[in-house]
Amino acid sequence: MILDIVNYGDPVLRTKGAPVGDITEELRRLAADMIDTMRDADGVGLAAQQVGVPLQMAVLDVAASEDRPSSMHI
């Protein structure tokens, strides 16, 4: 599901995110929705605060980013 990305000035962007605890189905769903949202916005990363969720969580996908000066090796 594509989530709404909040705009500059939204208070959630300045809210300290809560630490991630146990990995639940709800958290997995949020991560999947964040990845869908990030890809829909043609991004390479998205923080939970950017979709209105004050949580210390972010998603990244740099696999197809050939035009960036960095790379990720596994």
Side-chain angles (χ1 to χ4, degrees):
M1 174 173 74
I2 306 299
L3 305 171
D4 291 330
I5 297 176
V6 300
N7 293 318
Y8 177 77
D10 190 301
V12 75
L13 296 173
R14 294 199 177 267
T15 302
K16 181 175 180 176
V20 173
D22 294 332
I23 306 300
T24 62
E25 272 310 306
E26 181 180 17
L27 198 57
R28 289 179 194 276
R29 179 79 262 160
L30 174 61
D33 290 346
M34 287 173 60
I35 290 170
D36 290 344
T37 303
M38 175 191 64
R39 289 181 176 153
D40 184 67
D42 198 27
V44 296
L46 187 69
Q49 274 92 342
Q50 291 176 283
V51 292
V53 181
L55 189 63
Q56 294 176 9
M57 183 171 128
V59 295
L60 298 169
D61 183 2
V62 295
S65 300
E66 296 177 12
D67 63 337
R68 308 255 192 291
S70 61
S71 61
M72 184 169 83
H73 301 280
I74 299 176

